[in-house]
Amino acid sequence: MLGAGDRGAARARWLGTGLLVEEVDNTVTVIILAVVGGVIGLLIFILLLKKLITFILKKTQEKKKECLVSSSGNDNTENGLPGSKAEEKPPTKV
């Protein structure tokens, strides 16, 4: 029956080896594979971007910590914490 949901007869091609092969439209398959590949690529991009942002944030935090430590005059020597003084020198007599 023509026209009853049939898109027409599939084209057949003779390969010359005794096989008759039907040509099939692969448009839907290509679209599905493109979407899946795009989603995987997007996930990889998001993960790499996240890694880069956390790396930059860590580096800026380290610079802030170094700045605070080098600019502050506190070395905890007045608290008497063990190991806080590098070396004890006896008072010099003049």
Side-chain angles (χ1 to χ4, degrees), residues 4-26:
D6 188 23
R7 286 202 237 159
R11 294 186 204 134
R13 191 168 45 160
W14 180 257
L15 292 180
T17 59
L19 297 174
L20 189 64
V21 178
E22 293 183 17
E23 292 183 12
V24 181
D25 188 19
N26 290 328

Side-chain angles (χ1 to χ4, degrees), residues 60-77:
T60 56
Q61 291 295 328
E62 287 177 7
K63 284 185 180 181
K64 285 181 182 178
K65 286 180 184 177
E66 287 176 7
C67 249
L68 290 174
V69 170
S70 64
S71 65
S72 70
N74 271 346
D75 58 353
N76 291 330
T77 55

